[in-house]
Structures are given as structure tokens and as C-alpha cells.
């Protein structure tokens, strides 16, 4: 059972729970949400879906794309805005689709606050560990884009590369070529001054798009900014003071602008 089979079985479980599968998304930075999830959560009606997405996290470049802490991690992400019952229990039940018997394994839910501050969001929930390996998460999103959500969604994530270890598959030990190049770029080649300039340009373009009511295009620049910010901080090209007082808050303001523009358009 490889990661594709794992994703297929988990999708079947959640589709039976009323969360239809939507097309696979490309790459998003760690701390971001896909277009579908960001705007789906903000939609006027409850929204549910499951989607496979690649999450890129340059902050772990020092770990050389460790298979248990990869730079690029394929993830099945389930978003529910009409949760019923104990979703931790549903997560455990979904593991049976992978022939994992929770009675024979050490399955733990560890309380955790999730940092979605770049999206002007508040979220909290649990990290999920199986035999000490973090294989997923569950977290509630209380606020997104500075907007209090009428239907507080829960996001369920399965980290597919790490799930392979949980089901007894020996995962890929060598770093992927793309992961290796990201690590090399972040640690050796990224120029903090230029990246800072790119961040400013993306912010300007985001504001330009918002001025025309183009919230999808604007959000594209938000995601690019979140990625560049993670590269800059991993490269030690940003002081803690500048991060806290200027750069991160500006990205959060842009995310607020995207959320407001979408809500205003859908309310019109």
C-alpha cells in the first residue's frame, strides 16, 4: 500500500462521511491554505471537501529532507464545516481503512495551537501521532482573514509520506531532487535582500489586484508571500523584530483584504 493507495482509501472514507473529493492541488507553503479551502470556508453555506495537496516547508531544510520531516509532504486535507460527533473518533475510525488497528498501536492526540497568523486566522486542535510519528492533525479554524466564521470548520490532515511508515511501508530514504534543491537554495543561494524586494512586489501586486476586485489573483500573491517569508526566515535574513512588527503583519493584512473582497462579492 503506497501513498496513493493510502490517499484513495482515506478519500473513500471521508466521501462516505459527506466530504466529496475535489481535484488535487499543486503546492502551497506551510501555513497556507489552498484557494478551494480559503474561499470555501468563507462561503455563505457550509462547505466540505477532501483534497490532496503538496505542502512545501523550507524551514526544515536543515534536516536534509528527512522522510519523517520532509521539505515537500504530500497531504490529504479534509475540511468540514458541519462537524458532527467526535472527530477524533472519526479519525481513529478512518485508520481502520488502512488496516491500522488502534487497539494495537499507540495513537495519541496532542493539543497544539496552529500558526495561521499569515492568513489572519486563529486555529487550535491536535497533532496526531502513531507510535511516536506525527502522521496528521486536526484543528478548528475560528477566524480566517480576520473574519469570525459562522460555521467553524475543522481541517483534518494526513501526511501521506509519514503514513507510509505507520502502515509498515519503508518510505523513501533519499531526499527528492526537488527537496534537495529547495534545501540548497534556502541554505546557500537565497539572497535575503532580493527576497525582501520580491515580498514588497508581491504585496504591491496583491493590493493592485484587490483594487480591481480580483481576490483570487490577490490570494495568489498572499501564498507567494508566505513562501518567500519562510525562505527568508530559514535563511536568517529577517530579524525577529522585523518579522513581528512589519513583514508578517503586512501579509496578514493582505489576507484580510482577500477575505473581505470575497465576502463582499458573494453578499452582493
Amino acid at each position: 500500500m503506497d501513498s496513493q493507495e493510502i490517499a484513495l482509501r482515506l478519500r473513500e472514507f471521508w466521501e462516505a462521511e459527506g466530504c466529496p473529493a475535489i481535484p488535487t492541488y499543486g503546492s502551497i507553503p506551510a501555513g497556507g491554505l489552498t484557494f478551494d479551502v480559503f474561499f470555501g470556508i468563507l462561503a455563505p453555506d457550509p462547505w466540505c471537501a477532501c483534497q490532496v495537496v503538496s505542502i512545501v516547508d523550507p524551514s526544515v531544510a536543515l534536516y536534509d529532507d528527512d522522510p519523517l520531516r520532509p521539505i515537500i509532504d504530500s497531504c490529504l486535507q479534509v475540511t468540514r464545516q458541519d462537524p458532527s460527533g467526535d472527530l477524533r473518533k472519526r479519525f481513529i475510525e478512518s485508520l481502520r481503512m488502512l488496516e491500522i488497528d488502534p487497539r494495537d498501536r499507540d495513537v495519541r492526540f496532542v493539543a497544539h495551537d496552529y500558526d495561521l497568523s499569515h492568513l489572519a486566522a486563529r486555529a487550535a486542535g491536535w497533532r496526531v501521532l502513531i507510535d511516536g510519528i506525527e502522521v496528521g492533525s486536526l484543528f478548528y479554524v475560528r477566524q480566517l482573514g480576520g473574519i469570525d466564521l459562522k460555521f467553524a470548520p475543522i481541517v483534518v490532515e494526513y501526511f501521506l509520506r509519514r503514513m507510509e511508515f505507520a502502515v509498515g511501508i519503508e518510505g523513501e530514504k533519499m531526499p527528492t531532487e526537488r527537496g534537495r534543491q529547495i534545501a540548497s537554495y534556502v541554505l546557500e543561494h537565497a539572497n535575503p535582500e532580493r527576497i525582501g524586494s520580491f515580498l514588497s512586489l508581491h504585496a504591491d501586486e496583491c493590493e493592485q489586484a484587490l483594487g480591481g476586485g480580483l481576490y483570487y489573483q490577490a490570494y495568489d500573491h498572499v501564498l507567494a508571500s508566505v513562501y518567500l517569508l519562510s525562505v527568508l526566515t530559514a535563511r536568517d535574513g529577517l530579524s525577529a523584530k522585523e518579522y513581528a512588527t512589519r513583514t508578517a503583519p503586512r501579509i496578514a493584512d493582505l489576507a484580510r483584504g482577500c477575505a473581505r473582497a470575497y465576502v463582499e462579492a458573494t453578499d452582493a
Side-chain angles (χ1 to χ4, degrees):
M1 187 189 312
D2 60 14
S3 60
Q4 290 185 338
E5 177 68 16
I6 291 170
L8 177 62
R9 293 192 183 191
L10 292 172
R11 273 203 314 264
E12 289 175 350
F13 175 86
W14 286 104
E15 284 185 304
E17 294 289 312
C19 290
I22 58 177
T24 297
Y25 194 84
S27 299
I28 61 169
L33 295 172
T34 70
F35 286 78
D36 300 292
V37 174
F38 185 87
F39 294 110
I41 287 174
L42 292 168
D45 299 317
W47 188 79
C48 296
C50 55
Q51 181 177 49
V52 174
V53 61
S54 291
I55 298 177
V56 183
D57 188 0
S59 71
V60 300
L62 286 170
Y63 296 91
D64 196 27
D65 209 20
D66 182 334
L68 293 181
R69 198 171 183 181
I71 295 172
I72 305 171
D73 202 357
S74 183
C75 174
L76 176 66
Q77 200 171 69
V78 182
T79 308
R80 258 187 104 119
Q81 254 178 314
D82 58 344
S84 56
D86 186 347
L87 285 181
R88 285 178 292 182
K89 182 178 179 181
R90 306 304 295 151
F91 190 101
I92 288 176
E93 290 177 359
S94 73
L95 296 178
R96 299 185 188 279
M97 299 289 289
L98 308 178
E99 300 174 8
I100 295 176
D101 189 342
R103 295 172 299 180
D104 300 329
R105 308 291 290 273
D106 182 13
V107 181
R108 300 190 182 190
F109 296 88
V110 181
H112 186 69
D113 289 329
Y114 287 86
D115 184 12
L116 295 178
S117 57
H118 304 125
L119 303 182
R122 291 188 294 107
W126 303 270
R127 298 161 55 229
V128 186
L129 286 77
I130 298 179
D131 299 335
I133 298 174
E134 184 176 356
V135 298
S137 66
L138 296 85
F139 58 89
Y140 287 93
V141 182
R142 304 295 185 186
Q143 186 182 82
L144 182 62
I147 295 175
D148 292 326
L149 300 174
K150 181 179 179 182
F151 306 101
I154 191 167
V155 178
V156 182
E157 295 180 322
Y158 300 85
F159 306 134
L160 299 177
R161 195 169 175 189
R162 283 172 266 182
M163 287 296 303
E164 290 182 340
F165 288 86
V167 299
I169 299 173
E170 187 172 337
E172 180 66 44
K173 291 184 177 179
M174 297 298 292
T176 64
E177 181 58 27
R178 185 183 172 197
R180 183 185 294 110
Q181 291 198 18
I182 290 174
S184 178
Y185 171 72
V186 169
L187 299 176
E188 302 170 18
H189 300 283
N191 183 296
E193 185 175 346
R194 280 200 298 267
I195 291 176
S197 298
F198 293 153
L199 275 167
S200 295
L201 288 172
H202 275 294
D204 291 344
E205 285 301 300
C206 183
E207 291 173 348
Q208 182 78 7
L210 286 173
L214 306 175
Y215 45 83
Y216 278 109
Q217 291 300 305
Y219 187 66
D220 201 16
H221 290 289
V222 170
L223 289 179
S225 297
V226 172
Y227 176 75
L228 288 172
L229 183 58
S230 66
V231 171
L232 197 58
T233 51
R235 182 68 171 158
D236 293 328
L238 192 69
S239 69
K241 180 178 180 181
E242 185 179 2
Y243 175 90
T245 62
R246 191 163 69 95
T247 308
R250 187 176 187 192
I251 296 174
D253 284 341
L254 297 174
R256 289 187 186 93
C258 294
R260 286 195 301 269
Y262 174 79
V263 170
E264 289 170 2
T266 54
D267 285 346

